[in-house]
Amino acid sequence: MKDKILVVDDEREIADLVAFYLESENFKVITCYSAQAALEQIASTQFDLAILDIMLPDINGFEICKHIRESHTYPVIMLTAKDEEIDKIRGLMLGADDYMTKPFRPLELMARVKAQLRRYKRYNQPSAAAVKDSSLIIHGGLVMNVKTHECLLDEKPLVLTPTEFSILKMLCEHKGEVVSSEELFHGVWKDEYYSKSNNTITVHIRHLREKMHDSVDSPKYIKTIWGVGYKIEN
């Protein structure tokens, strides 16, 4: 079955160009030129990934991303016409998995789409090896089920995106050790590009802390080792 991708952009030429490249890679694409049309599709269709433009005339891409995250975990890639850090941070805080700044190279977007889908499928269909090693990770009130990709915190469901689950799982697997942002980045995104100015991990850690009601100053779970990385104490 073909992976189904939602493309939302009010600039028809860009939306149609993205759709053309995706369809040439054998993806099934549904293109929307307005936020309202996108919301209707999200309500009625099960997607595998969404590509959202931030600047839309009716409802911005941030609100669509927020709406998706209320009931879906599939990857979201944001498109922004402005190379402003605040837009990227806001998108990540709302649950986006990646972002690209216009103008972008279509082939780079295709590579990111494929990378996000690979990770999403690993998240939803864990390997037999991973299940065999350990299906449960337990730390204090935190319980992560690797087999079902469910998470509980103090016996209550903790809803995480695939990226958040992967980061938290990696920290738990290295409990007591400091894991650098670069190591986390490569562990989650594999061969994708990382630079010291990249704050993607920082934003996802912040989002995890908010969901876990964890404190930066007196952390119960994720501790920041300034200038080095993050760790979960034994």
Side-chain angles (χ1 to χ4, degrees), residues 91-113:
L92 293 170
M93 288 291 288
L94 290 171
D97 297 272
D98 201 355
Y99 53 81
M100 291 195 69
T101 303
K102 295 180 181 180
F104 54 83
R105 292 177 294 178
L107 291 179
E108 182 181 353
L109 177 59
M110 295 306 104
R112 296 199 185 195
V113 165

Side-chain angles (χ1 to χ4, degrees), residues 125-168:
Q125 298 176 356
S127 67
V131 173
K132 184 178 178 181
D133 288 343
S134 175
S135 60
L136 288 180
I137 297 174
I138 302 173
H139 176 70
L142 178 67
V143 179
M144 303 184 74
N145 190 320
V146 176
K147 183 176 180 179
T148 63
H149 283 82
E150 294 174 315
C151 195
L152 296 175
L153 182 63
D154 297 327
E155 300 183 352
K156 296 179 181 178
L158 181 62
V159 181
L160 303 177
T161 66
T163 300
E164 293 162 356
F165 190 95
S166 297
I167 291 172
L168 188 56

Side-chain angles (χ1 to χ4, degrees), residues 169-209:
K169 176 176 175 286
M170 191 171 172
L171 287 172
C172 287
E173 288 173 339
H174 293 81
K175 190 162 53 176
E177 304 173 15
V178 180
V179 185
S180 70
S181 294
E182 185 172 0
E183 289 171 326
L184 285 169
F185 193 95
H186 288 301
V188 174
W189 284 274
K190 304 306 177 187
D191 57 350
E192 295 183 40
Y193 180 73
Y194 174 87
S195 69
K196 292 299 181 183
S197 62
N198 191 316
N199 65 3
T200 303
I201 292 295
T202 303
V203 174
H204 283 301
I205 291 287
R206 187 188 309 165
H207 212 188
L208 270 170
R209 282 178 172 146

Side-chain angles (χ1 to χ4, degrees), residues 5 12 18 22-23 37 48 50 56 66 69 72 88 96 125 147-148 151 197 205 209 212 223:
I5 298 178
R12 289 175 177 263
V18 171
L22 287 168
E23 287 167 350
D48 297 287
L56 295 167
K66 184 179 177 182
R69 282 294 170 256
H72 303 288
K88 298 171 185 176
Q125 298 176 356
K147 183 176 180 179
T148 63
C151 195
S197 62
I205 291 287
R209 282 178 172 146
M212 298 172 73
K223 182 177 182 181

Side-chain angles (χ1 to χ4, degrees), residues 5-62:
I5 298 178
L6 173 67
V7 176
V8 185
D9 198 316
D10 64 317
E11 295 183 71
R12 289 175 177 263
E13 287 137 351
I14 293 177
D16 291 346
L17 178 65
V18 171
F20 171 79
Y21 273 90
L22 287 168
E23 287 167 350
S24 70
E25 295 286 345
N26 207 33
F27 293 115
K28 181 174 176 57
V29 183
I30 293 180
T31 307
C32 295
Y33 306 112
S34 70
Q36 188 57 48
L39 292 174
E40 291 172 5
Q41 287 293 338
I42 291 165
S44 61
T45 308
Q46 179 56 51
F47 291 102
D48 297 287
L49 183 142
I51 300 173
L52 310 177
D53 183 32
I54 291 178
M55 303 299 290
L56 295 167
D58 42 358
I59 303 170
N60 65 43
F62 294 129

